[in-house]
Structures are given as C-alpha cells and as structure tokens.
Amino acid sequence: MTVLTRERARSYTVSGVTAPVSFEHALFFSEREAARLSPRVDALVSYARPEAVRAAVGDGGQVLT
C-alpha cells in the first residue's frame, strides 16, 4: 500500500486487517515506524467519561469535549 508521508510517498506491506468502522479509515504501524513518522503524540480519542479522562491526564494535557 502506498502512504503519503511528510517526507514522500512510501510503500508499506499490509500484514493484517481489522474490522471496518464507520468513523475512520485507520492505518496502524509498528511503534518504531510510528515514532519515526510522527515523533510526538498531540491528540488522542477516548470514549471514557470526560471527568475520568481529566483525572487521568491531570495537568499533562487538555481534555476537549
């Protein structure tokens, strides 16, 4: 599969699939490749209650609802 990265279009080998979901078309990479492609994580999605997420995040992030 060809994936357009920040650097250029790169070819990757598909090694598995997941069940489809209606809200995204996700690609998953190894930890090492994900860190190379995007060294910082600046957004996460959670389905937990906002107050539980705020308790877990503390001052380390901003919880948006």
Side-chain angles (χ1 to χ4, degrees):
M1 155 177 271
T2 302
V3 176
L4 181 59
T5 69
R6 173 177 38 170
E7 301 161 343
R8 61 182 167 86
R10 297 181 57 127
S11 292
Y12 289 90
T13 300
V14 175
S15 62
V17 296
T18 62
V21 293
S22 62
F23 57 87
E24 70 180 353
H25 299 286
L27 296 173
F28 298 93
F29 296 91
S30 67
E31 280 189 52
R32 185 176 183 164
E33 185 64 4
R36 191 188 73 71
L37 289 170
S38 182
R40 70 174 238 217
V41 175
D42 56 9
L44 298 171
V45 175
S46 173
Y47 295 103
R49 294 184 342 260
E51 52 277 2
V53 177
R54 284 187 184 96
V57 169
D59 292 334
Q62 181 181 17
V63 178
L64 305 175
T65 60

